[in-house]
């Protein structure tokens, strides 16, 4: 529908918009706001062990994950570019909200607004607007269960199995993981603000913790008398590069945080 509205000639697909408004190809002053979201959208390395397990030939994992990143990057760029080009500076922080005004080139302007829109365009409009909320509703309980279980495993350690059979305790931990975000959502409604600050943790997860784990695990391996290199070593896997990544990512977190404090998400 975005391409349809972009290249459609003399046809109105979104009211009251008459056509693509255009947008800058790159605007550095908004980099601090979009960077943590970009990192978050590509954050999947914590699931690599589970995703790798079914693969029979582990030597192909590198090319598989690289291909995944390229495909996702192209799709995200494609969607981001055409949505920004279509709605311009008026694009919503949650772009699906624009589909509330989607008419699909049907209907006509009547006395009380746009009238006579096709049933299929109304159905598509409702689906696009409502789908993200339904998706969150379906995934939120699963995330609460996982977080609750992780907190129990962290607190009780090896004895966690002895406590998992306690229903009240399990429910208590899941409530602890569920209530804070619900309460926070009551007071903070701006999606851009939420994703911007949550994105700071994605930068830490993707670029701060991995190099620290690499440096620490390598030091422990050497102390235990293991070899200096493993089959996974390459020119990019070194203490030097890990230190550089850690430093740059720490600076980027500080830059994004201070920019958000100073400029907000506008």
């Amino acid at each position: 529908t975005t391409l349809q509205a972009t290249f459609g000639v003399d046809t109105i697909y979104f009211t009251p918009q008459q056509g693509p408004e255009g947008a800058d190809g790159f605007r550095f002053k908004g980099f601090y706001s979009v960077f943590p979201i970009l990192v978050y959208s590509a954050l999947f390395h914590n699931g690599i062990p589970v995703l790798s397990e079914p693969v029979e030939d582990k030597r192909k994992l590198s090319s598989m994950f690289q291909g995944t990143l390229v495909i996702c990057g192209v799709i995200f760029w494609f969607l981001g570019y055409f949505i920004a080009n279509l709605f311009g500076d008026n694009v919503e922080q949650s772009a699906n909200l624009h589909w509330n005004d989607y008419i699909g080139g049907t209907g006509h302007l009547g006395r009380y607004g746009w009238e006579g829109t096709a049933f299929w365009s109304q159905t598509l409009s409702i689906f696009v607007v409502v789908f993200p909320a339904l998706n969150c509703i379906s995934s939120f309980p699963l995330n609460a269960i996982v977080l609750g279980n992780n907190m129990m495993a962290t607190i009780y350690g090896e004895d966690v199995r002895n406590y998992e059979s306690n229903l009240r305790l399990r429910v208590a931990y899941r409530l602890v993981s569920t209530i804070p975000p619900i309460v926070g959502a009551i007071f903070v409604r701006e999606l851009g603000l939420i994703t911007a600050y949550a994105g700071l943790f994605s930068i830490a997860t993707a670029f701060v913790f991995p190099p620290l784990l690499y440096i620490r695990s390598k030091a422990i391996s050497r102390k235990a008398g293991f070899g200096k290199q493993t089959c996974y070593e390459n020119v990019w896997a070194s203490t030097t590069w890990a230190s550089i990544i850690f430093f740059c990512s720490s600076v980027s977190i500080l830059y994004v945080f201070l920019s958000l404090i100073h400029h907000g998400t506008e």
Side-chain angles (χ1 to χ4, degrees):
T1 56
T2 305
L3 292 177
Q4 184 186 45
T6 300
F7 298 107
V9 179
D10 299 329
T11 304
I12 298 177
Y13 293 93
F14 293 87
T15 59
Q17 189 169 321
Q18 301 298 316
E21 297 187 8
D24 297 334
F26 183 79
R27 188 182 301 171
F28 184 77
K29 69 178 184 179
F31 176 77
Y32 72 90
S33 181
V34 73
F35 177 66
I37 300 175
L38 289 175
V39 174
Y40 184 80
S41 67
L43 194 65
F44 72 95
H45 69 276
N46 55 323
I48 285 179
V50 177
L51 297 173
S52 303
E53 186 176 355
V55 180
E56 184 174 344
D57 189 355
K58 298 295 191 290
R59 294 173 298 179
K60 297 180 179 179
L61 287 173
S62 179
S63 58
M64 291 172 60
F65 287 124
Q66 288 176 10
T68 301
L69 283 173
V70 171
I71 293 173
C72 291
V74 171
I75 293 175
F76 290 157
W77 175 88
F78 187 86
L79 290 173
Y81 173 80
F82 282 101
I83 289 177
N85 181 69
L86 179 60
F87 300 109
D89 292 335
N90 297 318
V91 65
E92 295 280 357
Q93 293 179 344
S94 184
N96 67 299
L97 296 179
H98 287 287
W99 270 255
N100 188 49
D101 300 319
Y102 179 75
I103 57 174
T106 64
H108 60 277
L109 185 61
R111 182 176 180 181
Y112 300 104
W114 210 265
E115 302 174 349
T117 55
F119 175 77
W120 66 266
S121 66
Q122 298 177 27
T123 303
L124 182 60
S125 172
I126 295 173
F127 174 77
V128 175
V129 172
V130 174
F131 177 77
L134 296 178
N135 188 39
C136 289
I137 292 174
S138 64
S139 62
F140 185 77
L142 299 177
N143 292 331
I145 292 172
V146 172
L147 180 56
N149 293 344
N150 288 343
M151 287 193 296
M152 288 186 66
T154 302
I155 293 175
Y156 298 112
E158 297 179 357
D159 297 329
V160 66
R161 297 295 181 187
N162 300 328
Y163 294 93
E164 285 181 337
S165 58
N166 189 325
L167 178 60
R168 290 185 178 181
L169 190 62
R170 290 206 316 269
V171 171
Y173 274 94
R174 290 170 185 178
L175 288 176
V176 169
S177 64
T178 304
I179 293 176
I182 293 178
V183 174
I186 297 175
F187 299 98
V188 182
R189 301 292 185 89
E190 188 179 346
L191 179 63
L193 185 65
I194 297 173
T195 55
Y197 281 99
L200 293 174
F201 294 96
S202 69
I203 299 176
T205 303
F207 297 120
V208 175
F209 297 138
L212 289 179
L213 290 172
Y214 173 85
I215 295 172
R216 180 57 178 167
S217 62
K218 193 166 187 177
I220 293 175
S221 298
R222 288 180 176 178
K223 187 177 181 180
F226 294 110
K228 295 183 178 180
Q229 291 186 339
T230 68
C231 60
Y232 302 102
E233 294 280 346
N234 56 52
V235 66
W236 304 109
S238 65
T239 303
T240 301
W241 275 111
S243 301
I244 293 174
I245 294 174
F246 170 74
F247 174 77
C248 293
S249 58
S250 300
V251 172
S252 68
I253 290 177
L254 182 62
Y255 162 72
V256 172
F257 178 72
L258 294 178
S259 297
L260 288 172
I261 293 296
H262 183 67
H263 300 288
T265 57
E266 59 182 20

